[in-house]
Amino acid sequence: MKKRYVLCGVLVVLFLVILISILLGRSLFIDNTIMNIMVGMRHDGLTKVVKILTILGDKKFILVLVVAISAALWFSKHKADAYMMCLNLFNIVVLNKGIKYLVRRERPLDMLIEKDGFSFPSGHSMLSLGVYGFLMFLIYKSNLSKKYKTILMTILTITIILVGLTRMYLGVHYPSDVIGGYLITGAYLIVFITIINAKVYKKLK
């Protein structure tokens, strides 16, 4: 339990370092370095693939996915999981919108697709880690074999990473937007899962 809280604290501190730097208008080394690498990787064929992959973190896709999974959980008599899946999505959206309107960071100028709204933190990154990460938790506590758990959780982990990379490649987010999104969502998930384990799942045992 202590390790979990320590990890959560580290994630929050790192997020605050990025947040404060942005609020102070300081240039972040990771932004310039990683953005230069991403720009150098661009070509038409890869861009087409990236535009498809980035949909995995799109809010409409995530909403449909959560509704579908929640419905499946509900009808398979896992109602608590269905409720928590929906609550988790709601929390992530509120957290993302709240931070965006607090910081009001403008998006990068060199975007390959049109995107409005504020830049920090990345909504795609937060939604992918928040939803796929919570799905990993449900898989972990399920009755699936260790082999299938490993396969599914590996696929979800790769998906989370890919979504973040696509946002940087397309130039719609600075690397610090993506990393900041992962950091605060990771901290949130630790708190959320700890609370529901104690308040919800413990009572169902």
Side-chain angles (χ1 to χ4, degrees), residues 22 70 73 80 120 140 193:
I22 293 172
S70 297
L73 289 169
F120 181 87
Y140 175 79
I193 291 173

Side-chain angles (χ1 to χ4, degrees), residues 10 20 26 28 30 66 108 117 120-121 129 135-136 149 167 199:
V10 170
I20 293 171
R26 294 177 179 172
L28 295 167
I30 55 173
V66 169
F120 181 87
L129 178 56
L135 189 55
M136 289 169 67
K149 285 182 180 180
R167 305 315 283 171
K199 302 295 183 180

Side-chain angles (χ1 to χ4, degrees), residues 8 13 54-55 57 61 97 122 131 143 146 202:
C8 182
V13 169
T54 202
I55 294 173
F61 177 85
K97 295 299 182 184
S122 165
V131 172
N143 294 322
K146 185 177 180 180
K202 190 174 182 180

Side-chain angles (χ1 to χ4, degrees), residues 1-167:
M1 184 68 75
K2 285 185 177 180
K3 290 182 179 180
R4 189 183 305 173
Y5 289 131
V6 170
L7 176 58
C8 182
V10 170
L11 294 176
V12 170
V13 169
L14 292 175
F15 172 78
L16 289 175
V17 169
I18 294 176
L19 174 63
I20 293 171
S21 297
I22 293 172
L23 291 174
L24 293 176
R26 294 177 179 172
S27 177
L28 295 167
F29 175 77
I30 55 173
D31 286 343
N32 297 326
T33 303
I34 298 177
M35 286 296 278
N36 288 335
I37 294 173
M38 290 294 172
V39 170
M41 293 174 58
R42 290 176 177 174
H43 64 79
D44 293 342
L46 181 58
T47 298
K48 291 178 181 178
V49 174
V50 170
K51 286 181 178 179
I52 295 173
L53 291 175
T54 202
I55 294 173
L56 296 172
D58 182 76
K59 57 185 177 183
K60 293 180 181 178
F61 177 85
I62 292 291
L63 177 60
V64 172
L65 181 66
V66 169
V67 170
I69 293 175
S70 297
L73 289 169
W74 179 274
F75 289 113
S76 61
K77 297 182 180 180
H78 292 88
K79 294 184 178 181
D81 291 339
Y83 279 127
M84 294 304 106
M85 194 81 186
C86 294
L87 177 61
N88 178 57
L89 176 59
F90 174 80
N91 290 342
I92 296 166
V93 171
V94 171
L95 181 61
N96 177 256
K97 295 299 182 184
I99 299 173
K100 276 184 181 290
Y101 283 102
L102 170 67
V103 181
R104 296 178 175 269
R105 188 186 201 184
E106 295 298 328
R107 291 185 183 274
L109 298 176
D110 187 20
M111 297 190 291
L112 295 182
I113 58 175
E114 290 187 13
K115 190 71 178 177
D116 55 8
F118 298 116
S119 188
F120 181 87
S122 165
H124 276 62
S125 299
M126 290 186 68
L127 285 171
S128 61
L129 178 56
V131 172
Y132 298 134
F134 186 71
L135 189 55
M136 289 169 67
F137 162 70
L138 295 182
I139 291 170
Y140 175 79
K141 75 180 189 69
S142 71
N143 294 322
L144 290 172
S145 67
K146 185 177 180 180
K147 176 184 176 181
Y148 286 115
K149 285 182 180 180
T150 301
I151 292 173
L152 290 173
M153 291 172 75
T154 299
I155 292 173
L156 290 172
T157 300
I158 293 172
T159 301
I160 292 167
I161 295 171
L162 282 177
V163 169
L165 291 174
T166 64
R167 305 315 283 171

